[in-house]
Coordinates of all heavy atoms in Angstrom, one line a residue:
R1 N 0.8 -1.2 0.0 CA 0.0 0.0 0.0 C 0.9 1.3 0.0 O 1.7 1.4 0.9 CB -0.9 0.0 1.2 CG -1.9 1.1 1.3 CD -2.8 1.0 2.4 NE -3.6 2.2 2.4 CZ -4.8 2.2 2.9 NH1 -5.2 1.0 3.6 NH2 -5.6 3.2 2.9
C2 N 0.7 2.1 -1.0 CA 1.5 3.2 -1.2 C 0.7 4.5 -1.1 O 1.4 5.6 -1.2 CB 2.2 3.2 -2.5 SG 3.3 1.8 -2.8
E3 N -0.6 4.5 -0.8 CA -1.5 5.7 -0.9 C -1.4 6.4 -2.2 O -1.5 7.6 -2.2 CB -1.2 6.6 0.3 CG -1.3 6.0 1.7 CD -2.9 5.7 1.9 OE1 -3.7 6.5 1.5 OE2 -3.1 4.7 2.7
L4 N -1.2 5.6 -3.2 CA -1.3 6.2 -4.6 C -2.8 6.7 -4.8 O -3.7 6.1 -4.5 CB -0.9 5.2 -5.7 CG 0.5 4.8 -5.7 CD1 0.7 3.6 -6.7 CD2 1.5 5.8 -5.9
T5 N -2.8 7.9 -5.5 CA -4.1 8.4 -5.9 C -4.2 8.3 -7.4 O -3.2 8.0 -8.2 CB -4.3 9.9 -5.4 OG1 -3.3 10.7 -6.0 CG2 -4.2 9.9 -3.9
H6 N -5.3 8.8 -7.9 CA -5.4 8.8 -9.4 C -4.3 9.8 -10.1 O -4.0 9.5 -11.2 CB -6.9 9.1 -9.8 CG -7.3 10.5 -9.6 ND1 -7.9 10.8 -8.4 CD2 -7.3 11.7 -10.3 CE1 -8.2 12.1 -8.3 NE2 -7.9 12.7 -9.6
E7 N -4.1 10.8 -9.4 CA -3.0 11.7 -9.9 C -1.6 11.1 -10.1 O -1.0 11.3 -11.1 CB -2.9 12.9 -9.0 CG -4.1 13.9 -8.9 CD -5.0 13.6 -7.8 OE1 -4.8 12.7 -7.1 OE2 -6.0 14.6 -7.7
H8 N -1.2 10.3 -9.1 CA -0.1 9.5 -9.1 C -0.1 8.5 -10.3 O 0.7 8.3 -11.0 CB 0.2 8.7 -7.8 CG 0.3 9.7 -6.6 ND1 -0.5 9.6 -5.5 CD2 1.2 10.6 -6.4 CE1 -0.1 10.5 -4.7 NE2 0.9 11.2 -5.1
L9 N -1.3 7.9 -10.3 CA -1.4 6.8 -11.3 C -1.4 7.4 -12.6 O -0.7 6.8 -13.7 CB -2.7 6.0 -11.2 CG -3.0 4.8 -12.1 CD1 -1.8 3.9 -11.9 CD2 -4.2 4.2 -11.8
Q10 N -1.8 8.5 -12.9 CA -1.8 9.2 -14.2 C -0.3 9.4 -14.7 O 0.1 9.1 -15.8 CB -2.5 10.6 -14.2 CG -2.6 11.3 -15.5 CD -3.2 12.6 -15.4 OE1 -3.4 13.3 -14.4 NE2 -3.7 13.0 -16.6
L11 N 0.6 9.7 -13.7 CA 1.9 9.9 -14.0 C 2.6 8.6 -14.4 O 3.4 8.4 -15.2 CB 2.7 10.7 -12.9 CG 2.2 12.1 -12.6 CD1 2.9 12.6 -11.3 CD2 2.6 12.9 -13.9
L12 N 2.3 7.6 -13.5 CA 2.8 6.3 -13.7 C 2.5 5.7 -15.0 O 3.3 5.0 -15.7 CB 2.3 5.2 -12.5 CG 3.0 5.5 -11.2 CD1 2.4 4.7 -10.1 CD2 4.5 5.3 -11.2
V13 N 1.2 5.8 -15.3 CA 0.7 5.2 -16.7 C 1.5 5.9 -17.8 O 1.8 5.3 -18.7 CB -0.8 5.4 -16.8 CG1 -1.3 5.2 -18.2 CG2 -1.6 4.4 -15.8
A14 N 1.8 7.1 -17.7 CA 2.4 7.8 -18.7 C 3.8 7.2 -18.9 O 4.4 7.0 -20.1 CB 2.7 9.3 -18.4
A15 N 4.6 6.7 -17.8 CA 5.8 6.0 -17.8 C 5.7 4.6 -18.3 O 6.5 4.1 -19.1 CB 6.4 6.1 -16.4
F16 N 4.6 4.0 -17.8 CA 4.3 2.6 -18.3 C 4.2 2.5 -19.8 O 4.5 1.4 -20.3 CB 3.1 2.0 -17.7 CG 3.1 1.9 -16.1 CD1 1.9 1.8 -15.4 CD2 4.3 1.9 -15.4 CE1 1.9 1.7 -14.0 CE2 4.3 1.8 -14.1 CZ 3.2 1.6 -13.4
R17 N 3.6 3.5 -20.5 CA 3.5 3.4 -21.9 C 4.8 3.3 -22.6 O 4.9 2.8 -23.7 CB 2.8 4.7 -22.3 CG 1.4 4.7 -22.0 CD 0.6 6.0 -22.5 NE -0.8 6.0 -22.1 CZ -1.8 5.4 -22.8 NH1 -1.5 4.8 -23.9 NH2 -2.9 5.6 -22.3
Q18 N 5.9 3.7 -22.0 CA 7.2 3.6 -22.6 C 7.9 2.3 -22.2 O 9.0 1.9 -22.8 CB 8.2 4.8 -22.1 CG 7.5 6.2 -22.3 CD 7.2 6.4 -23.7 OE1 8.0 6.1 -24.6 NE2 6.0 7.0 -23.9
D19 N 7.4 1.6 -21.2 CA 8.1 0.3 -20.8 C 7.4 -0.9 -21.4 O 6.2 -1.2 -21.1 CB 8.0 0.2 -19.2 CG 8.7 -0.9 -18.6 OD1 8.9 -1.9 -19.4 OD2 8.9 -0.9 -17.5
K20 N 8.1 -1.6 -22.2 CA 7.5 -2.8 -22.9 C 7.7 -4.0 -22.1 O 7.4 -5.2 -22.6 CB 8.0 -2.9 -24.3 CG 7.6 -1.7 -25.2 CD 8.1 -1.9 -26.6 CE 7.4 -1.0 -27.6 NZ 7.9 0.3 -27.5
T21 N 8.4 -4.0 -20.9 CA 8.6 -5.1 -20.2 C 7.8 -5.4 -18.9 O 7.8 -6.5 -18.4 CB 10.2 -5.2 -19.6 OG1 10.3 -4.0 -18.8 CG2 11.2 -5.0 -20.9
L22 N 7.0 -4.3 -18.6 CA 6.1 -4.4 -17.4 C 5.0 -5.5 -17.7 O 4.2 -5.2 -18.5 CB 5.6 -3.1 -17.0 CG 4.7 -3.1 -15.8 CD1 5.6 -3.5 -14.5 CD2 4.1 -1.7 -15.6
A23 N 5.0 -6.6 -16.9 CA 4.1 -7.6 -17.0 C 3.1 -7.7 -15.9 O 2.0 -8.2 -16.1 CB 4.8 -8.9 -17.4
V24 N 3.6 -7.4 -14.8 CA 2.8 -7.6 -13.6 C 2.7 -6.3 -12.7 O 3.7 -5.6 -12.6 CB 3.4 -8.7 -12.5 CG1 2.5 -8.8 -11.3 CG2 3.4 -10.1 -13.4
L25 N 1.5 -5.9 -12.4 CA 1.4 -4.6 -11.6 C 0.3 -4.9 -10.4 O -0.8 -5.4 -10.7 CB 0.8 -3.6 -12.5 CG 0.5 -2.2 -11.9 CD1 1.9 -1.6 -11.4 CD2 0.0 -1.3 -13.0
T26 N 0.8 -4.5 -9.2 CA -0.1 -4.7 -8.1 C -0.3 -3.3 -7.6 O 0.5 -2.5 -7.2 CB 0.6 -5.5 -7.0 OG1 0.8 -6.8 -7.6 CG2 -0.2 -5.6 -5.7
L27 N -1.6 -2.9 -7.4 CA -2.0 -1.5 -7.0 C -3.0 -1.8 -5.9 O -3.8 -0.8 -5.5 CB -2.7 -0.8 -8.0 CG -1.8 -0.4 -9.3 CD1 -2.5 0.2 -10.5 CD2 -0.7 0.5 -8.9
T28 N -3.0 -2.8 -5.1 CA -3.9 -3.2 -4.0 C -3.9 -2.0 -3.0 O -2.8 -1.5 -2.5 CB -3.6 -4.5 -3.5 OG1 -3.6 -5.5 -4.4 CG2 -4.4 -4.9 -2.4
C29 N -5.1 -1.8 -2.4 CA -5.3 -0.9 -1.3 C -4.8 0.5 -1.6 O -4.2 1.1 -0.6 CB -4.6 -1.5 0.0 SG -5.3 -3.0 0.6
N30 N -5.0 1.1 -2.7 CA -4.6 2.4 -3.1 C -6.0 3.1 -3.5 O -6.8 2.5 -4.3 CB -3.6 2.5 -4.1 CG -2.3 2.2 -3.7 OD1 -1.6 2.9 -2.8 ND2 -1.8 1.0 -4.1
P31 N -6.2 4.3 -3.0 CA -7.4 5.0 -3.3 C -7.5 5.7 -4.7 O -7.4 6.8 -4.9 CB -7.5 6.0 -2.2 CG -6.2 6.4 -1.9 CD -5.4 5.1 -2.0
L32 N -7.4 4.8 -5.6 CA -7.4 5.2 -7.1 C -8.5 5.8 -7.7 O -8.6 6.8 -8.5 CB -6.8 4.2 -8.1 CG -5.6 3.5 -7.6 CD1 -5.2 2.3 -8.4 CD2 -4.4 4.6 -7.6
G33 N -9.7 5.2 -7.1 CA -11.0 5.8 -7.6 C -11.4 5.5 -9.1 O -10.7 4.9 -9.8
F34 N -12.5 6.1 -9.4 CA -13.1 6.0 -10.8 C -12.0 6.6 -11.8 O -11.8 5.9 -12.8 CB -14.3 6.8 -10.8 CG -14.8 7.0 -12.2 CD1 -15.5 5.9 -12.9 CD2 -14.9 8.2 -12.8 CE1 -16.0 6.0 -14.0 CE2 -15.4 8.3 -14.1 CZ -15.9 7.3 -14.8
L35 N -11.4 7.6 -11.5 CA -10.4 8.3 -12.5 C -9.2 7.3 -12.7 O -8.7 7.1 -13.8 CB -10.0 9.7 -12.0 CG -10.9 10.7 -12.3 CD1 -10.5 12.0 -11.7 CD2 -11.5 10.9 -13.7
G36 N -8.8 6.7 -11.6 CA -7.7 5.7 -11.7 C -8.1 4.6 -12.6 O -7.3 4.2 -13.4
A37 N -9.4 4.1 -12.5 CA -9.8 3.0 -13.4 C -9.8 3.5 -14.8 O -9.4 2.7 -15.7 CB -11.2 2.6 -13.0
I38 N -10.2 4.8 -15.1 CA -10.1 5.3 -16.5 C -8.7 5.3 -17.0 O -8.4 4.9 -18.2 CB -10.8 6.7 -16.5 CG1 -12.3 6.5 -16.3 CG2 -10.5 7.4 -17.9 CD1 -13.1 7.8 -16.3
Y39 N -7.7 5.8 -16.2 CA -6.3 5.7 -16.6 C -5.9 4.4 -16.9 O -5.1 4.2 -17.9 CB -5.5 6.5 -15.7 CG -5.8 7.9 -15.3 CD1 -5.7 8.4 -14.0 CD2 -6.2 8.8 -16.3 CE1 -6.0 9.7 -13.7 CE2 -6.5 10.1 -16.0 CZ -6.4 10.6 -14.8 OH -6.8 11.9 -14.6
L40 N -6.2 3.4 -16.1 CA -5.7 2.1 -16.3 C -6.3 1.6 -17.6 O -5.8 0.9 -18.3 CB -6.1 1.2 -15.1 CG -5.1 1.2 -14.0 CD1 -5.7 0.4 -12.8 CD2 -3.8 0.7 -14.3
A41 N -7.7 1.8 -17.7 CA -8.4 1.4 -19.0 C -7.7 1.8 -20.2 O -7.6 1.1 -21.2 CB -9.9 1.6 -18.8
N42 N -7.5 3.1 -20.3 CA -6.9 3.7 -21.4 C -5.5 3.1 -21.8 O -5.2 2.8 -22.9 CB -6.7 5.3 -21.2 CG -8.0 6.0 -21.3 OD1 -9.0 5.5 -21.9 ND2 -8.1 7.1 -20.8
W43 N -4.7 2.7 -20.7 CA -3.4 2.1 -20.8 C -3.7 0.7 -21.4 O -3.0 0.2 -22.2 CB -2.7 2.1 -19.6 CG -1.3 1.4 -19.7 CD1 -0.4 1.5 -20.7 CD2 -0.8 0.5 -18.7 NE1 0.6 0.6 -20.4 CE2 0.4 0.1 -19.1 CE3 -1.2 0.2 -17.5 CZ2 1.2 -0.7 -18.5 CZ3 -0.5 -0.9 -16.8 CH2 0.8 -1.2 -17.3
L44 N -4.6 0.0 -20.8 CA -4.9 -1.5 -21.3 C -5.2 -1.4 -22.7 O -5.0 -2.4 -23.4 CB -5.9 -2.0 -20.4 CG -5.5 -2.4 -19.0 CD1 -6.7 -2.7 -18.1 CD2 -4.5 -3.5 -19.1
R45 N -5.8 -0.5 -23.2 CA -6.3 -0.4 -24.6 C -5.1 -0.1 -25.6 O -5.1 -0.4 -26.8 CB -7.3 0.8 -24.8 CG -8.6 0.5 -24.4 CD -9.6 1.6 -24.8 NE -10.9 1.5 -24.1 CZ -11.2 2.1 -23.0 NH1 -10.3 3.0 -22.4 NH2 -12.4 1.9 -22.5
A46 N -4.1 0.4 -25.1 CA -2.8 0.7 -26.0 C -2.2 -0.4 -26.5 O -2.0 -1.5 -25.7 CB -1.9 1.6 -25.0
P47 N -1.8 -0.4 -27.7 CA -1.0 -1.5 -28.3 C 0.3 -1.9 -27.6 O 0.7 -3.0 -27.7 CB -0.9 -1.2 -29.8 CG -1.2 0.3 -29.8 CD -1.9 0.7 -28.6
N48 N 0.9 -0.8 -27.0 CA 2.1 -1.2 -26.3 C 2.1 -1.6 -24.9 O 3.0 -1.7 -24.1 CB 3.0 0.1 -26.5 CG 2.5 1.3 -25.8 OD1 1.3 1.4 -25.5 ND2 3.3 2.2 -25.5
C49 N 0.9 -1.9 -24.5 CA 0.6 -2.5 -23.1 C 0.8 -3.9 -23.1 O 0.1 -4.8 -23.7 CB -0.9 -2.1 -22.6 SG -1.1 -2.8 -21.0
H50 N 1.8 -4.4 -22.3 CA 2.2 -5.8 -22.3 C 1.9 -6.4 -20.9 O 2.3 -7.5 -20.6 CB 3.7 -6.0 -22.5 CG 4.0 -5.5 -24.0 ND1 3.8 -6.3 -25.0 CD2 4.5 -4.2 -24.4 CE1 4.2 -5.7 -26.2 NE2 4.6 -4.5 -25.8
L51 N 1.0 -5.8 -20.2 CA 0.6 -6.3 -18.9 C -0.1 -7.6 -19.0 O -1.0 -7.7 -19.8 CB -0.4 -5.2 -18.2 CG -0.4 -5.3 -16.7 CD1 1.0 -5.0 -16.0 CD2 -1.4 -4.3 -16.2
T52 N 0.3 -8.5 -18.2 CA -0.4 -9.9 -18.2 C -1.1 -10.2 -16.9 O -2.0 -11.0 -16.8 CB 0.6 -11.1 -18.3 OG1 1.6 -11.0 -17.4 CG2 1.3 -11.0 -19.8
E53 N -0.8 -9.4 -15.8 CA -1.4 -9.6 -14.6 C -1.6 -8.2 -13.9 O -0.7 -7.4 -13.7 CB -0.5 -10.5 -13.6 CG -1.2 -10.8 -12.3 CD -0.3 -11.7 -11.5 OE1 0.5 -12.4 -12.0 OE2 -0.5 -11.7 -10.2
L54 N -2.8 -7.9 -13.4 CA -3.1 -6.7 -12.8 C -4.0 -7.1 -11.4 O -4.9 -7.7 -11.5 CB -4.0 -5.7 -13.6 CG -4.5 -4.6 -13.0 CD1 -3.4 -3.7 -12.4 CD2 -5.4 -3.8 -13.9
N55 N -3.4 -6.6 -10.3 CA -4.0 -6.8 -9.0 C -4.4 -5.4 -8.6 O -3.5 -4.7 -8.1 CB -3.1 -7.6 -8.1 CG -3.8 -7.7 -6.7 OD1 -5.0 -7.4 -6.5 ND2 -3.1 -8.4 -5.8
A56 N -5.6 -5.0 -8.6 CA -6.1 -3.8 -8.2 C -7.3 -3.9 -7.2 O -8.3 -3.2 -7.4 CB -6.4 -2.9 -9.4
S57 N -7.2 -4.8 -6.2 CA -8.3 -5.0 -5.3 C -8.2 -3.7 -4.3 O -7.1 -3.1 -4.2 CB -8.1 -6.3 -4.5 OG -6.9 -6.4 -3.9
W58 N -9.4 -3.4 -3.7 CA -9.5 -2.4 -2.8 C -9.0 -1.1 -3.3 O -8.3 -0.3 -2.6 CB -8.8 -2.7 -1.4 CG -9.3 -3.8 -0.7 CD1 -9.0 -5.1 -0.7 CD2 -10.2 -3.7 0.4 NE1 -9.8 -5.9 0.1 CE2 -10.5 -5.0 1.0 CE3 -10.9 -2.6 0.9 CZ2 -11.3 -5.2 1.9 CZ3 -11.8 -2.8 2.0 CH2 -12.0 -4.1 2.5
A59 N -9.4 -0.8 -4.6 CA -8.8 0.5 -5.2 C -10.0 1.5 -5.4 O -9.8 2.6 -5.9 CB -8.2 0.2 -6.5
N60 N -11.2 1.2 -4.9 CA -12.3 2.2 -4.9 C -12.7 2.5 -6.3 O -13.0 3.6 -6.6 CB -12.0 3.4 -4.1 CG -11.9 3.2 -2.7 OD1 -12.6 2.2 -2.1 ND2 -10.9 3.9 -2.1
F61 N -12.7 1.5 -7.3 CA -13.0 1.9 -8.7 C -14.5 2.0 -8.8 O -15.0 2.8 -9.7 CB -12.6 0.7 -9.6 CG -11.1 0.6 -9.8 CD1 -10.5 -0.5 -10.1 CD2 -10.3 1.7 -9.8 CE1 -9.2 -0.7 -10.4 CE2 -8.9 1.6 -9.9 CZ -8.3 0.4 -10.2
G62 N -15.3 1.3 -8.0 CA -16.8 1.3 -8.2 C -17.2 0.6 -9.5 O -16.4 0.1 -10.2
R63 N -18.4 0.5 -9.6 CA -19.0 -0.1 -10.7 C -18.7 0.5 -12.1 O -18.4 -0.2 -13.1 CB -20.5 -0.1 -10.5 CG -21.3 -1.0 -11.6 CD -22.7 -1.2 -11.3 NE -22.8 -1.9 -10.0 CZ -23.8 -2.5 -9.5 NH1 -25.0 -2.4 -10.3 NH2 -24.0 -3.1 -8.4
Q64 N -18.7 1.8 -12.1 CA -18.5 2.5 -13.4 C -17.0 2.3 -13.7 O -16.6 2.2 -15.0 CB -18.8 4.0 -13.2 CG -20.3 4.2 -13.3 CD -20.6 5.8 -13.3 OE1 -19.7 6.6 -12.9 NE2 -21.7 6.1 -13.6
G65 N -16.1 2.3 -12.7 CA -14.7 2.2 -13.1 C -14.4 0.7 -13.5 O -13.7 0.5 -14.5
A66 N -15.1 -0.2 -12.9 CA -14.9 -1.7 -13.4 C -15.5 -1.8 -14.8 O -14.9 -2.5 -15.6 CB -15.7 -2.5 -12.3
N67 N -16.5 -1.0 -15.1 CA -17.1 -1.1 -16.5 C -16.0 -0.6 -17.6 O -16.0 -1.1 -18.5 CB -18.3 -0.2 -16.5 CG -19.2 -0.5 -17.7 OD1 -19.3 -1.7 -18.1 ND2 -19.9 0.4 -18.2
H68 N -15.5 0.5 -17.2 CA -14.4 1.0 -18.1 C -13.3 -0.1 -18.3 O -12.8 -0.2 -19.4 CB -13.7 2.4 -17.6 CG -14.6 3.6 -17.8 ND1 -14.6 4.2 -19.1 CD2 -15.5 4.1 -17.1 CE1 -15.4 5.3 -19.0 NE2 -15.9 5.2 -17.9
L69 N -12.9 -0.6 -17.3 CA -11.9 -1.7 -17.4 C -12.4 -2.8 -18.2 O -11.7 -3.4 -19.1 CB -11.4 -2.2 -15.9 CG -10.6 -1.2 -15.2 CD1 -10.5 -1.7 -13.7 CD2 -9.3 -0.9 -15.8
A70 N -13.6 -3.3 -18.1 CA -14.1 -4.4 -18.8 C -14.2 -4.0 -20.3 O -13.9 -4.9 -21.2 CB -15.6 -4.6 -18.3
H71 N -14.4 -2.9 -20.7 CA -14.6 -2.4 -22.1 C -13.2 -2.5 -22.6 O -12.9 -2.8 -23.8 CB -15.1 -1.0 -22.2 CG -16.7 -1.0 -22.1 ND1 -17.5 -1.6 -23.0 CD2 -17.5 -0.7 -21.1 CE1 -18.8 -1.5 -22.7 NE2 -18.7 -0.9 -21.5
A72 N -12.1 -2.1 -21.8 CA -10.7 -2.1 -22.3 C -10.3 -3.5 -22.6 O -9.5 -3.7 -23.5 CB -9.8 -1.5 -21.3
L73 N -10.8 -4.4 -21.8 CA -10.4 -5.8 -22.0 C -11.0 -6.5 -23.3 O -10.5 -7.6 -23.7 CB -10.7 -6.7 -20.8 CG -10.0 -6.3 -19.5 CD1 -10.6 -7.1 -18.3 CD2 -8.5 -6.4 -19.7
R74 N -11.9 -5.7 -23.8 CA -12.4 -6.3 -25.2 C -11.2 -6.1 -26.3 O -11.2 -6.8 -27.2 CB -13.6 -5.5 -25.6 CG -14.8 -5.8 -24.8 CD -16.0 -4.9 -25.3 NE -17.1 -5.2 -24.5 CZ -18.2 -4.5 -24.6 NH1 -18.4 -3.4 -25.4 NH2 -19.3 -4.9 -23.9
I75 N -10.3 -5.2 -26.0 CA -9.4 -4.9 -26.9 C -8.0 -5.5 -26.5 O -7.3 -6.1 -27.3 CB -9.0 -3.4 -27.0 CG1 -10.2 -2.7 -27.7 CG2 -7.9 -3.0 -27.8 CD1 -10.3 -1.2 -27.5
N76 N -7.8 -5.6 -25.2 CA -6.5 -6.1 -24.7 C -6.7 -7.6 -24.6 O -7.4 -8.2 -23.9 CB -6.2 -5.6 -23.3 CG -4.9 -6.0 -22.7 OD1 -4.7 -7.2 -22.6 ND2 -4.1 -5.1 -22.3
T77 N -5.8 -8.3 -25.3 CA -5.8 -9.8 -25.2 C -4.6 -10.4 -24.5 O -4.5 -11.6 -24.4 CB -5.8 -10.3 -26.7 OG1 -4.6 -9.9 -27.3 CG2 -7.0 -10.0 -27.4
R78 N -3.7 -9.5 -24.0 CA -2.7 -10.1 -23.2 C -2.9 -10.4 -21.7 O -2.4 -11.2 -21.1 CB -1.4 -9.0 -23.3 CG -0.9 -9.0 -24.7 CD 0.4 -8.2 -24.7 NE 1.0 -8.1 -25.9 CZ 1.0 -7.1 -26.8 NH1 0.3 -6.1 -26.5 NH2 1.5 -7.2 -27.9
L79 N -3.7 -9.5 -21.1 CA -4.1 -9.6 -19.7 C -4.7 -11.0 -19.4 O -5.7 -11.3 -19.9 CB -5.0 -8.4 -19.2 CG -4.9 -8.3 -17.7 CD1 -3.6 -7.8 -17.2 CD2 -6.1 -7.3 -17.3
R80 N -4.1 -11.8 -18.6 CA -4.5 -13.1 -18.2 C -5.1 -13.2 -16.7 O -5.9 -13.9 -16.4 CB -3.4 -14.2 -18.3 CG -2.9 -14.3 -19.8 CD -3.9 -15.0 -20.7 NE -3.5 -15.1 -22.0 CZ -4.1 -14.7 -23.0 NH1 -5.2 -14.2 -22.9 NH2 -3.7 -14.7 -24.2
I81 N -4.5 -12.4 -15.9 CA -5.0 -12.4 -14.4 C -5.4 -11.0 -14.1 O -4.7 -10.0 -14.2 CB -3.9 -12.9 -13.6 CG1 -3.5 -14.3 -13.9 CG2 -4.3 -12.8 -12.0 CD1 -2.2 -14.7 -13.2
L82 N -6.7 -10.9 -13.6 CA -7.2 -9.6 -13.2 C -7.9 -9.9 -11.7 O -8.8 -10.5 -11.7 CB -8.3 -9.1 -14.2 CG -8.9 -7.8 -13.8 CD1 -7.9 -6.6 -13.8 CD2 -9.9 -7.5 -14.9
N83 N -7.5 -9.0 -10.8 CA -8.1 -9.1 -9.5 C -8.7 -7.7 -9.1 O -7.9 -6.7 -9.0 CB -7.1 -9.5 -8.4 CG -7.8 -9.6 -7.1 OD1 -8.9 -9.3 -6.9 ND2 -6.9 -9.8 -6.1
L84 N -10.0 -7.5 -9.2 CA -10.7 -6.3 -8.8 C -11.6 -6.5 -7.6 O -12.5 -5.8 -7.4 CB -11.5 -5.9 -10.0 CG -10.9 -5.5 -11.4 CD1 -11.8 -5.0 -12.5 CD2 -9.8 -4.4 -11.0
A85 N -11.2 -7.5 -6.8 CA -12.0 -7.7 -5.5 C -12.2 -6.5 -4.7 O -11.3 -5.7 -4.6 CB -11.3 -8.8 -4.7
L86 N -13.4 -6.4 -4.0 CA -13.6 -5.4 -3.1 C -13.4 -3.9 -3.7 O -12.9 -3.1 -3.0 CB -12.9 -5.6 -1.9 CG -13.1 -7.0 -1.2 CD1 -12.0 -7.2 -0.2 CD2 -14.5 -7.1 -0.7
N87 N -14.0 -3.6 -4.8 CA -14.0 -2.4 -5.4 C -15.3 -1.7 -5.4 O -15.5 -0.9 -6.2 CB -13.4 -2.5 -6.8 CG -11.9 -2.3 -6.8 OD1 -11.4 -1.1 -6.5 ND2 -11.1 -3.2 -7.1
G88 N -16.2 -2.1 -4.7 CA -17.6 -1.7 -4.7 C -17.9 -0.2 -4.7 O -17.8 0.7 -5.1

C-alpha cells in the first residue's frame, strides 16, 4: 500500500506506456477511484501495453470504473489475471 491516488497513477501510466517489459502490476489498497480506473483502462487499450497480470483490489473503482476496465479488456488480449476484488 503506497497511498497512490489517481493523480499518481496518471503519471505512472505515462511512464508505463514507454516500458515494454512491465508484465505484472499490483495496486492493491490504493485509493485510485473512478479516475484511476479510467487511466488504467486507457493504458490497457494501448497496443504497447504488455501487462499480463493486474491486481487492483481495494482501489475504490466502483461499478463505473470496473465497467471502463471491462470495455478495455475487449481490446487487450494479453491480460490473463485480473483481481478487482472489493472495489464496490
Side-chain angles (χ1 to χ4, degrees):
R1 181 176 183 157
C2 301
E3 294 296 326
L4 295 175
T5 65
H6 67 272
E7 291 98 352
H8 300 118
L9 186 59
Q10 184 179 24
L11 296 172
L12 287 171
V13 166
F16 295 161
R17 288 182 182 272
Q18 307 303 317
D19 186 345
K20 294 184 171 77
T21 62
L22 183 63
V24 177
L25 180 61
T26 298
L27 296 168
T28 300
C29 295
N30 286 289
L32 302 174
F34 173 71
L35 288 176
I38 290 175
Y39 297 139
L40 281 174
N42 288 339
W43 176 46
L44 288 169
R45 285 186 193 98
N48 62 341
C49 177
H50 297 280
L51 203 63
T52 59
E53 182 177 339
L54 174 60
N55 183 0
S57 60
W58 291 88
N60 298 325
F61 290 153
R63 187 173 296 197
Q64 289 182 339
N67 193 36
H68 278 277
L69 291 167
H71 285 288
L73 294 177
R74 291 180 180 170
I75 296 167
N76 182 308
T77 59
R78 290 188 176 106
L79 194 68
R80 297 288 179 232
I81 298 170
L82 175 63
N83 181 358
L84 296 178
L86 303 164
N87 266 291

